[in-house]
Structures are given as structure tokens and as C-alpha cells.
Amino acid sequence: MGRLALAVVALIGGAGVAGFAPLDPVRTDLAAIRTDPPGGCHVQDGRAFVPAGSTDLGEDGPSRPGRSVRVEGFWIDRHEVTNRQFAAFVAATGYVTQAEREGGSAVFVQPEGLSGDDAGQWWRFVRGASWRHPHGGAADDLARADEPVVHVAYEDAAAYARWAGGVLPSEAQWERAARGDQDGPRTPSAWAYDSKGLPIANTWQGEFPLSQSGEDHFTGLAPVGCFPANAFGLRDMIGNVWEWTSSAAANRADERLIKGGSFLCAFNYCANFRPAAWQAQEMDLGTSHVGFRVAYAQAA
Ligand SMILES: [Ca+2]
């Protein structure tokens, strides 16, 4: 979403409830989730090693070969940083996110009808929305422990990474990690669907933004670890939430690249469920579909 679109949604305003309820407890039940996917969800904290190698940065298939970039070996979180992990950071440091300081954040709201394709129709600046209350602060709107933290601006993600002893991955590191052992071109759908067409990532099935089938068992965020790990042992590199990287967008000093697509990516919109894709995101803009994970120089 561009700055103009955000300005539009800021003008629209939100329907959220101002103020913040205490975090305690981070909700741990998953009752609101429709069903777990076959095999269930397994949250395994910790880091996985990404061996040194080259990645074809920006590889879009045979017609658009990428730029080969060498990446040294590094470690990276097995899954997106969860609310449980972010809560531990906040408890230890007293950190207050940008969305909390500003009193709201951008939330995706599924529209009932559309006029044109203006993203302002499905993004709202919702007062009270923050990582603690992803939809805007209603009493039952508490962050779920095993879901990825969202409504984090770049500085929030970077602060967590420093606390955790790491950094946000570069675009090349992230892309190398996401590709796993797949070093050749693949169709975009091969990253989010298996050979039978069944979902292997949390994306949007249906016509975005008006309808979705939830074929992947989720119509919004999923707990981390519900979809298969890639060859490096990493989950949800594709889908669930976009992930901040430390790489700047060309000629845009106030933006950083986000990678991997989110639960809002469909074939008719975004379609960025592939390692090569990226979007430039304003550093001071947290939303309900952008999170992050941390890269490290050491195993622990
Ligand atoms: Ca992701």
C-alpha cells in the first residue's frame, strides 16, 4: 500500500475502540481458528542454519533471470516472531511500539462491495489497533500467542532483533533462506500450492478482496508452524505475514523491502507468494499483515 493510499485511509478513519487493555494474558487458545490443517500446527522456536551459497536475487523464471548474489552462511528464526516472543521482549524492556504511540494502525477489513480497485476500500486506519489488539482494541481482540506479531513498524522490528541478539535479514539473506534447496525457476504457484493444487502456505484462495474460501484452513493470520517447513527447516517464509528486511528500496530512503507475501495474497491480487517478489514498505507503517523474523551470526 502506498503512502497516498494510507493517507486516504487515515482520512477515512477507523471504527476501533480507543485505549489499550492489559496484555495479560496473551490468548493461547486457538478456538477462533476454524480448523487446524492436516498434521496440525507445531511451534518450534529456535534458529535454523542457512548454508552459504548463491541466490538468484529477483529470479522470476526463465524469462527474467535473477542477479546472482553470494550469501555467507547464517542463522535465522525458524518461524515468524510470535506475539508470545514479542511479549517477552516488551516485558523485559518496556518497549512501546510506534502504533501504540500513535494510537492506531492500518487494518485490513474485507469489503462487502467494490467500486474500482482503490486499496482505501479495504484498508482502514483503526484507532487502538496495535500488536496487542490486532483489530483495534475490542475486549476479545487480544493477540494470540502463537500467531505472528503484526502492526510493527521497521524500528519496532529492528529493536526486537537487537534485543534478541541479531539483525533483520537483508533481502539476499531472506531470499536465500526462502528458496531452501530450490535453486531453479519455479512458477509462483509452486511456492504456495503442492503438485495437487493443495495449499502449502497461508495465502488467499478466492477473488481478493471480496471472497475467500479458506481452503488453506485460515481466513486471516495463522499460528506459525501450521504449514510445511522448507528444506532449511523454515516455516511460513511464503505467506502468513510479509517480513521486514534491512534492505532499502531503490532511491527511497524511508522505505524497506518486505518479502514473502501474506494471507492477503491471491492469484488475482498481489500474487507475491514467491521468494523473488518484494514490496517497498514505508518504514513507519505497521499493518495487520506485516511481521518479521531475525537473522543471526551464531547458532545461539
Ligand atoms: Ca511469512
Side-chain angles (χ1 to χ4, degrees), residues 182-213:
Q182 300 289 337
D183 56 5
R186 304 178 84 195
T187 62
S189 63
W191 295 101
Y193 296 89
D194 68 13
S195 59
K196 297 178 181 176
L198 298 175
I200 54 173
N202 183 19
T203 63
W204 179 292
Q205 291 85 46
E207 196 74 15
F208 180 90
L210 293 178
S211 65
Q212 66 168 325
S213 66

mmCIF file of all heavy atoms in Angstrom, residues 182-213:
data_model
loop_
_atom_site.group_PDB
_atom_site.id
_atom_site.type_symbol
_atom_site.label_atom_id
_atom_site.label_comp_id
_atom_site.label_asym_id
_atom_site.label_seq_id
_atom_site.Cartn_x
_atom_site.Cartn_y
_atom_site.Cartn_z
ATOM 1 N N GLN A 182 15.647 -25.065 -3.475
ATOM 2 C CA GLN A 182 15.117 -24.817 -4.822
ATOM 3 C C GLN A 182 15.972 -23.756 -5.501
ATOM 4 O O GLN A 182 15.844 -22.572 -5.222
ATOM 5 C CB GLN A 182 13.659 -24.340 -4.741
ATOM 6 C CG GLN A 182 12.722 -25.336 -4.084
ATOM 7 C CD GLN A 182 12.470 -26.558 -4.951
ATOM 8 O OE1 GLN A 182 12.618 -26.506 -6.165
ATOM 9 N NE2 GLN A 182 12.086 -27.660 -4.327
ATOM 10 N N ASP A 183 16.884 -24.172 -6.363
ATOM 11 C CA ASP A 183 17.772 -23.194 -6.974
ATOM 12 C C ASP A 183 17.435 -22.915 -8.431
ATOM 13 O O ASP A 183 18.163 -22.229 -9.128
ATOM 14 C CB ASP A 183 19.236 -23.618 -6.840
ATOM 15 C CG ASP A 183 19.467 -25.004 -7.432
ATOM 16 O OD1 ASP A 183 18.523 -25.579 -8.014
ATOM 17 O OD2 ASP A 183 20.597 -25.496 -7.305
ATOM 18 N N GLY A 184 16.333 -23.434 -8.882
ATOM 19 C CA GLY A 184 15.931 -23.173 -10.260
ATOM 20 C C GLY A 184 14.619 -22.425 -10.310
ATOM 21 O O GLY A 184 13.957 -22.241 -9.293
ATOM 22 N N PRO A 185 14.240 -21.976 -11.479
ATOM 23 C CA PRO A 185 12.970 -21.256 -11.623
ATOM 24 C C PRO A 185 11.782 -22.148 -11.287
ATOM 25 O O PRO A 185 11.796 -23.347 -11.564
ATOM 26 C CB PRO A 185 12.951 -20.876 -13.107
ATOM 27 C CG PRO A 185 14.361 -21.014 -13.578
ATOM 28 C CD PRO A 185 14.969 -22.086 -12.738
ATOM 29 N N ARG A 186 10.800 -21.587 -10.666
ATOM 30 C CA ARG A 186 9.545 -22.287 -10.394
ATOM 31 C C ARG A 186 8.413 -21.319 -10.714
ATOM 32 O O ARG A 186 8.594 -20.112 -10.679
ATOM 33 C CB ARG A 186 9.423 -22.701 -8.913
ATOM 34 C CG ARG A 186 10.560 -23.542 -8.402
ATOM 35 C CD ARG A 186 10.357 -23.856 -6.936
ATOM 36 N NE ARG A 186 9.495 -25.008 -6.721
ATOM 37 C CZ ARG A 186 8.927 -25.323 -5.560
ATOM 38 N NH1 ARG A 186 9.096 -24.532 -4.521
ATOM 39 N NH2 ARG A 186 8.188 -26.403 -5.423
ATOM 40 N N THR A 187 7.277 -21.861 -10.998
ATOM 41 C CA THR A 187 6.128 -20.992 -11.185
ATOM 42 C C THR A 187 5.737 -20.421 -9.819
ATOM 43 O O THR A 187 5.964 -21.055 -8.783
ATOM 44 C CB THR A 187 4.933 -21.766 -11.749
ATOM 45 O OG1 THR A 187 4.569 -22.782 -10.797
ATOM 46 C CG2 THR A 187 5.288 -22.424 -13.075
ATOM 47 N N PRO A 188 5.159 -19.222 -9.792
ATOM 48 C CA PRO A 188 4.755 -18.657 -8.499
ATOM 49 C C PRO A 188 3.883 -19.602 -7.692
ATOM 50 O O PRO A 188 4.059 -19.740 -6.484
ATOM 51 C CB PRO A 188 4.003 -17.390 -8.900
ATOM 52 C CG PRO A 188 4.619 -16.991 -10.197
ATOM 53 C CD PRO A 188 4.936 -18.286 -10.897
ATOM 54 N N SER A 189 2.952 -20.288 -8.347
ATOM 55 C CA SER A 189 2.027 -21.130 -7.602
ATOM 56 C C SER A 189 2.730 -22.294 -6.916
ATOM 57 O O SER A 189 2.242 -22.819 -5.910
ATOM 58 C CB SER A 189 0.920 -21.657 -8.521
ATOM 59 O OG SER A 189 1.467 -22.477 -9.528
ATOM 60 N N ALA A 190 3.910 -22.697 -7.432
ATOM 61 C CA ALA A 190 4.621 -23.840 -6.849
ATOM 62 C C ALA A 190 5.116 -23.541 -5.441
ATOM 63 O O ALA A 190 5.414 -24.463 -4.681
ATOM 64 C CB ALA A 190 5.797 -24.231 -7.739
ATOM 65 N N TRP A 191 5.177 -22.268 -5.081
ATOM 66 C CA TRP A 191 5.624 -21.920 -3.738
ATOM 67 C C TRP A 191 4.494 -21.963 -2.717
ATOM 68 O O TRP A 191 4.733 -22.018 -1.518
ATOM 69 C CB TRP A 191 6.240 -20.520 -3.726
ATOM 70 C CG TRP A 191 7.493 -20.432 -4.540
ATOM 71 C CD1 TRP A 191 7.611 -19.922 -5.798
ATOM 72 C CD2 TRP A 191 8.793 -20.890 -4.157
ATOM 73 N NE1 TRP A 191 8.910 -20.030 -6.230
ATOM 74 C CE2 TRP A 191 9.651 -20.610 -5.239
ATOM 75 C CE3 TRP A 191 9.305 -21.499 -3.015
ATOM 76 C CZ2 TRP A 191 11.010 -20.926 -5.202
ATOM 77 C CZ3 TRP A 191 10.660 -21.806 -2.984
ATOM 78 C CH2 TRP A 191 11.492 -21.523 -4.059
ATOM 79 N N ALA A 192 3.277 -21.895 -3.186
ATOM 80 C CA ALA A 192 2.146 -21.828 -2.262
ATOM 81 C C ALA A 192 1.188 -23.009 -2.393
ATOM 82 O O ALA A 192 0.295 -23.171 -1.558
ATOM 83 C CB ALA A 192 1.369 -20.520 -2.467
ATOM 84 N N TYR A 193 1.379 -23.826 -3.441
ATOM 85 C CA TYR A 193 0.488 -24.971 -3.665
ATOM 86 C C TYR A 193 1.335 -26.171 -4.066
ATOM 87 O O TYR A 193 2.329 -26.038 -4.783
ATOM 88 C CB TYR A 193 -0.530 -24.647 -4.769
ATOM 89 C CG TYR A 193 -1.453 -23.513 -4.370
ATOM 90 C CD1 TYR A 193 -1.101 -22.192 -4.635
ATOM 91 C CD2 TYR A 193 -2.645 -23.761 -3.696
ATOM 92 C CE1 TYR A 193 -1.926 -21.141 -4.242
ATOM 93 C CE2 TYR A 193 -3.466 -22.717 -3.302
ATOM 94 C CZ TYR A 193 -3.105 -21.417 -3.572
ATOM 95 O OH TYR A 193 -3.913 -20.390 -3.176
ATOM 96 N N ASP A 194 0.902 -27.355 -3.608
ATOM 97 C CA ASP A 194 1.651 -28.542 -3.983
ATOM 98 C C ASP A 194 1.241 -29.012 -5.375
ATOM 99 O O ASP A 194 0.436 -28.363 -6.057
ATOM 100 C CB ASP A 194 1.501 -29.638 -2.920
ATOM 101 C CG ASP A 194 0.080 -30.218 -2.847
ATOM 102 O OD1 ASP A 194 -0.735 -29.959 -3.770
ATOM 103 O OD2 ASP A 194 -0.204 -30.926 -1.871
ATOM 104 N N SER A 195 1.784 -30.153 -5.775
ATOM 105 C CA SER A 195 1.559 -30.609 -7.140
ATOM 106 C C SER A 195 0.107 -30.979 -7.411
ATOM 107 O O SER A 195 -0.321 -31.063 -8.561
ATOM 108 C CB SER A 195 2.469 -31.806 -7.439
ATOM 109 O OG SER A 195 2.189 -32.856 -6.513
ATOM 110 N N LYS A 196 -0.660 -31.192 -6.324
ATOM 111 C CA LYS A 196 -2.091 -31.487 -6.481
ATOM 112 C C LYS A 196 -2.937 -30.224 -6.373
ATOM 113 O O LYS A 196 -4.167 -30.290 -6.384
ATOM 114 C CB LYS A 196 -2.529 -32.499 -5.421
ATOM 115 C CG LYS A 196 -1.836 -33.850 -5.549
ATOM 116 C CD LYS A 196 -2.271 -34.791 -4.431
ATOM 117 C CE LYS A 196 -1.559 -36.136 -4.549
ATOM 118 N NZ LYS A 196 -1.886 -37.045 -3.418
ATOM 119 N N GLY A 197 -2.271 -29.080 -6.199
ATOM 120 C CA GLY A 197 -3.000 -27.830 -6.088
ATOM 121 C C GLY A 197 -3.470 -27.518 -4.685
ATOM 122 O O GLY A 197 -4.252 -26.574 -4.482
ATOM 123 N N LEU A 198 -3.017 -28.284 -3.712
ATOM 124 C CA LEU A 198 -3.423 -28.036 -2.331
ATOM 125 C C LEU A 198 -2.499 -27.004 -1.696
ATOM 126 O O LEU A 198 -1.289 -27.000 -1.935
ATOM 127 C CB LEU A 198 -3.386 -29.338 -1.534
ATOM 128 C CG LEU A 198 -4.335 -30.427 -2.032
ATOM 129 C CD1 LEU A 198 -4.127 -31.717 -1.248
ATOM 130 C CD2 LEU A 198 -5.792 -29.965 -1.935
ATOM 131 N N PRO A 199 -3.072 -26.120 -0.841
ATOM 132 C CA PRO A 199 -2.252 -25.046 -0.258
ATOM 133 C C PRO A 199 -1.161 -25.580 0.662
ATOM 134 O O PRO A 199 -1.393 -26.484 1.472
ATOM 135 C CB PRO A 199 -3.272 -24.233 0.548
ATOM 136 C CG PRO A 199 -4.603 -24.579 -0.044
ATOM 137 C CD PRO A 199 -4.487 -26.010 -0.473
ATOM 138 N N ILE A 200 0.040 -25.019 0.523
ATOM 139 C CA ILE A 200 1.138 -25.313 1.437
ATOM 140 C C ILE A 200 1.641 -24.026 2.100
ATOM 141 O O ILE A 200 2.728 -23.987 2.662
ATOM 142 C CB ILE A 200 2.294 -26.034 0.716
ATOM 143 C CG1 ILE A 200 2.760 -25.243 -0.508
ATOM 144 C CG2 ILE A 200 1.898 -27.450 0.338
ATOM 145 C CD1 ILE A 200 4.015 -25.807 -1.164
ATOM 146 N N ALA A 201 0.843 -22.967 2.014
ATOM 147 C CA ALA A 201 1.184 -21.684 2.647
ATOM 148 C C ALA A 201 -0.119 -20.942 2.906
ATOM 149 O O ALA A 201 -1.141 -21.211 2.269
ATOM 150 C CB ALA A 201 2.092 -20.856 1.747
ATOM 151 N N ASN A 202 -0.071 -20.024 3.856
ATOM 152 C CA ASN A 202 -1.268 -19.255 4.204
ATOM 153 C C ASN A 202 -1.397 -18.060 3.282
ATOM 154 O O ASN A 202 -0.803 -17.003 3.519
ATOM 155 C CB ASN A 202 -1.193 -18.798 5.665
ATOM 156 C CG ASN A 202 -2.449 -18.063 6.102
ATOM 157 O OD1 ASN A 202 -3.510 -18.182 5.478
ATOM 158 N ND2 ASN A 202 -2.338 -17.305 7.185
ATOM 159 N N THR A 203 -2.154 -18.240 2.208
ATOM 160 C CA THR A 203 -2.438 -17.154 1.282
ATOM 161 C C THR A 203 -3.955 -17.046 1.134
ATOM 162 O O THR A 203 -4.693 -17.580 1.962
ATOM 163 C CB THR A 203 -1.757 -17.388 -0.087
ATOM 164 O OG1 THR A 203 -2.295 -18.567 -0.691
ATOM 165 C CG2 THR A 203 -0.243 -17.539 0.085
ATOM 166 N N TRP A 204 -4.405 -16.369 0.100
ATOM 167 C CA TRP A 204 -5.835 -16.106 -0.080
ATOM 168 C C TRP A 204 -6.342 -16.941 -1.244
ATOM 169 O O TRP A 204 -5.853 -16.782 -2.363
ATOM 170 C CB TRP A 204 -6.023 -14.608 -0.355
ATOM 171 C CG TRP A 204 -7.420 -14.138 -0.584
ATOM 172 C CD1 TRP A 204 -8.229 -14.416 -1.642
ATOM 173 C CD2 TRP A 204 -8.181 -13.266 0.274
ATOM 174 N NE1 TRP A 204 -9.439 -13.792 -1.505
ATOM 175 C CE2 TRP A 204 -9.435 -13.065 -0.350
ATOM 176 C CE3 TRP A 204 -7.921 -12.628 1.485
ATOM 177 C CZ2 TRP A 204 -10.422 -12.246 0.208
ATOM 178 C CZ3 TRP A 204 -8.904 -11.812 2.035
ATOM 179 C CH2 TRP A 204 -10.133 -11.639 1.415
ATOM 180 N N GLN A 205 -7.307 -17.818 -0.981
ATOM 181 C CA GLN A 205 -7.947 -18.554 -2.064
ATOM 182 C C GLN A 205 -9.283 -17.890 -2.368
ATOM 183 O O GLN A 205 -10.114 -17.754 -1.472
ATOM 184 C CB GLN A 205 -8.169 -20.027 -1.696
ATOM 185 C CG GLN A 205 -6.888 -20.836 -1.595
ATOM 186 C CD GLN A 205 -6.240 -20.705 -0.233
ATOM 187 O OE1 GLN A 205 -6.914 -20.797 0.780
ATOM 188 N NE2 GLN A 205 -4.935 -20.479 -0.198
ATOM 189 N N GLY A 206 -9.456 -17.500 -3.601
ATOM 190 C CA GLY A 206 -10.685 -16.831 -3.992
ATOM 191 C C GLY A 206 -10.375 -15.523 -4.671
ATOM 192 O O GLY A 206 -9.236 -15.249 -5.042
ATOM 193 N N GLU A 207 -11.407 -14.720 -4.834
ATOM 194 C CA GLU A 207 -11.280 -13.454 -5.542
ATOM 195 C C GLU A 207 -11.048 -12.355 -4.520
ATOM 196 O O GLU A 207 -11.982 -11.944 -3.816
ATOM 197 C CB GLU A 207 -12.559 -13.200 -6.360
ATOM 198 C CG GLU A 207 -12.441 -12.147 -7.425
ATOM 199 C CD GLU A 207 -11.637 -12.604 -8.640
ATOM 200 O OE1 GLU A 207 -11.398 -13.827 -8.788
ATOM 201 O OE2 GLU A 207 -11.260 -11.739 -9.432
ATOM 202 N N PHE A 208 -9.811 -11.892 -4.426
ATOM 203 C CA PHE A 208 -9.493 -10.828 -3.465
ATOM 204 C C PHE A 208 -10.107 -9.520 -3.944
ATOM 205 O O PHE A 208 -10.054 -9.204 -5.122
ATOM 206 C CB PHE A 208 -7.969 -10.664 -3.348
ATOM 207 C CG PHE A 208 -7.566 -9.604 -2.383
ATOM 208 C CD1 PHE A 208 -7.363 -9.910 -1.052
ATOM 209 C CD2 PHE A 208 -7.417 -8.282 -2.794
ATOM 210 C CE1 PHE A 208 -7.007 -8.919 -0.139
ATOM 211 C CE2 PHE A 208 -7.064 -7.291 -1.889
ATOM 212 C CZ PHE A 208 -6.869 -7.605 -0.561
ATOM 213 N N PRO A 209 -10.675 -8.699 -3.051
ATOM 214 C CA PRO A 209 -10.822 -8.904 -1.604
ATOM 215 C C PRO A 209 -12.228 -9.316 -1.190
ATOM 216 O O PRO A 209 -12.547 -9.312 -0.002
ATOM 217 C CB PRO A 209 -10.532 -7.492 -1.074
ATOM 218 C CG PRO A 209 -11.170 -6.600 -2.105
ATOM 219 C CD PRO A 209 -10.998 -7.298 -3.434
ATOM 220 N N LEU A 210 -13.066 -9.704 -2.163
ATOM 221 C CA LEU A 210 -14.482 -9.891 -1.853
ATOM 222 C C LEU A 210 -14.819 -11.263 -1.289
ATOM 223 O O LEU A 210 -15.753 -11.409 -0.502
ATOM 224 C CB LEU A 210 -15.322 -9.628 -3.106
ATOM 225 C CG LEU A 210 -15.317 -8.177 -3.584
ATOM 226 C CD1 LEU A 210 -16.135 -8.036 -4.853
ATOM 227 C CD2 LEU A 210 -15.869 -7.261 -2.491
ATOM 228 N N SER A 211 -14.105 -12.283 -1.717
ATOM 229 C CA SER A 211 -14.467 -13.623 -1.252
ATOM 230 C C SER A 211 -13.226 -14.475 -1.099
ATOM 231 O O SER A 211 -12.265 -14.336 -1.861
ATOM 232 C CB SER A 211 -15.417 -14.292 -2.256
ATOM 233 O OG SER A 211 -14.759 -14.515 -3.485
ATOM 234 N N GLN A 212 -13.264 -15.333 -0.112
ATOM 235 C CA GLN A 212 -12.200 -16.315 0.019
ATOM 236 C C GLN A 212 -12.779 -17.590 0.598
ATOM 237 O O GLN A 212 -13.713 -17.574 1.407
ATOM 238 C CB GLN A 212 -11.040 -15.802 0.861
ATOM 239 C CG GLN A 212 -11.330 -15.558 2.315
ATOM 240 C CD GLN A 212 -10.038 -15.338 3.102
ATOM 241 O OE1 GLN A 212 -9.012 -15.952 2.809
ATOM 242 N NE2 GLN A 212 -10.090 -14.471 4.097
ATOM 243 N N SER A 213 -12.210 -18.694 0.158
ATOM 244 C CA SER A 213 -12.756 -19.994 0.547
ATOM 245 C C SER A 213 -12.124 -20.529 1.818
ATOM 246 O O SER A 213 -12.677 -21.407 2.467
ATOM 247 C CB SER A 213 -12.538 -20.994 -0.591
ATOM 248 O OG SER A 213 -11.146 -21.226 -0.774
#
